Amino acid sequence: MRNAELLSIHVHPVKAFQGVSPLEAEVEPWGPVGDRRWAVVDDGGKVVTQRQQPRLALAAAEPLPGGGVLLSAPGLAPLEVAVPEPVGTVVVEIFRDKVEGVPAAPAAHAWCSAFLGADVRLVHMDDPATRRPVDPEYALPGETVAFADGYPLLATTTASLDALNSLITRGEHAAEGPLPMDRFRPNVVVGGTEPWAEDGWSRLTIGKVAFRAAKKCGRCVVTTTDQTTAERGKEPLATLGRHRRIGGKLVFGQNLVPLTRGVIRVGDPVRFLG
């Protein structure tokens, strides 16, 4: 894999929304700057994702200077949301974790509620260095994450997507393929590897930034959601269930934790250290 390189970068400022694909991104210990620092929560404080609301795929969030976001969605006027002052927090439940979040301004709550047709709020993670640790079963001491599912970055490879799409074409739902990479909502996409090479990653560098591979990524119903229409199908879970069931999970991609800070850029070489 001497010619492996970074093909694309993806940052999702609001969890479950569409994001942006910059040519470079600064990497902090908890992930790319601005990635998943915001989340929508229901009236009980639970984070709402495309698992419950596939319609979130139609909403977009662009980063603004200072950490704010520009929200846009069909049928609604765009809304600029500034980072709220951390003068009061609310308890946010994300999977098994309960963490502190800072509510956005009321206008943001109204905008998100109007889009989903439900009573929801937008919250911001003010201090990802202290708010939420990475799953201790797979973490090193002190590792933290923002509102991502569980780890600071998710990496995928084009070779594995090609292999998966080839399998889909031979399955019962061939008409749903080929699937684009956005179904898997990665942060970094790597080219120049063998299919499924990421299963064996241990440590790697992207440009000058070092990472460790923490855990293969188990996939959920979000991957069956067309990110342009919000409609759901059967793939890729049907095919992953036949060919990529590892440890009871349907696996595609590798979760990464940064070991150093720095800037990664599209075209950077990717080197594997074991």
Side-chain angles (χ1 to χ4, degrees):
M1 295 185 285
R2 293 180 179 178
N3 296 320
E5 65 175 315
L6 180 60
L7 297 182
S8 62
I9 301 167
H10 307 277
V11 176
H12 301 88
V14 179
K15 184 176 180 65
F17 282 36
Q18 296 173 22
V20 295
S21 300
L23 294 179
E24 63 179 48
E26 182 179 354
V27 176
E28 298 173 311
W30 40 87
V33 167
D35 187 63
R36 296 171 172 94
R37 291 287 295 275
W38 300 81
V40 174
V41 300
D42 65 16
D43 55 5
K46 292 184 178 181
V47 169
V48 180
T49 74
Q50 290 183 31
R51 294 169 178 84
Q52 302 84 22
Q53 289 275 9
R55 181 172 166 77
L56 286 171
L58 304 180
E62 298 180 30
L64 296 175
V69 286
L70 175 64
L71 307 180
S72 60
L76 292 175
L79 179 70
E80 290 190 9
V81 182
V83 171
E85 292 294 330
V87 294
T89 62
V90 295
V91 176
V92 175
E93 184 175 342
I94 175 167
F95 303 112
R96 296 186 300 271
D97 299 333
K98 292 187 177 180
V99 300
E100 300 295 316
V102 183
H109 305 331
W111 191 96
C112 293
S113 296
F115 176 63
L116 290 181
D119 184 14
V120 296
R121 294 175 291 169
L122 186 66
V123 297
H124 180 256
M125 184 175 287
D126 60 325
D127 186 11
T130 63
R131 292 295 189 197
R132 184 183 174 214
V134 172
D135 184 345
E137 186 176 352
Y138 300 97
L140 298 179
E143 292 179 340
T144 62
V145 61
F147 285 127
D149 275 5
Y151 300 88
L153 293 95
L154 172 64
T156 58
T157 69
T158 53
S160 294
L161 180 62
D162 290 344
L164 177 61
N165 277 325
S166 179
L167 293 170
I168 289 173
T169 64
R170 301 196 293 271
E172 296 179 1
H173 310 286
E176 292 188 25
L179 300 182
M181 190 66 86
D182 65 6
R183 289 291 188 95
F184 302 94
R185 299 180 63 82
N187 293 112
V188 291
V189 179
V190 176
T193 72
E194 294 297 319
W196 318 120
E198 63 272 22
D199 290 351
W201 292 353
S202 176
R203 298 201 175 198
L204 62 148
T205 58
I206 300 176
K208 296 182 179 180
V209 183
F211 302 86
R212 71 176 187 88
K215 179 179 177 289
K216 300 178 186 68
C217 187
R219 309 314 305 221
C220 70
V221 69
V222 171
T223 59
T224 69
T225 307
D226 188 315
Q227 296 295 298
T228 61
T229 66
E231 296 178 357
R232 282 193 172 146
K234 299 293 185 181
E235 295 294 358
L237 293 187
T239 296
L240 291 176
R242 292 194 305 273
H243 299 280
R244 293 285 297 166
R245 190 180 295 272
I246 302 174
K249 302 289 186 179
L250 309 186
V251 170
F252 187 91
Q254 180 69 256
N255 291 298
L256 303 181
V257 179
L259 296 173
T260 59
R261 293 175 178 256
V263 176
I264 57 175
R265 298 176 175 86
V266 171
D268 274 349
V270 179
R271 298 184 173 90
F272 305 95
L273 311 178

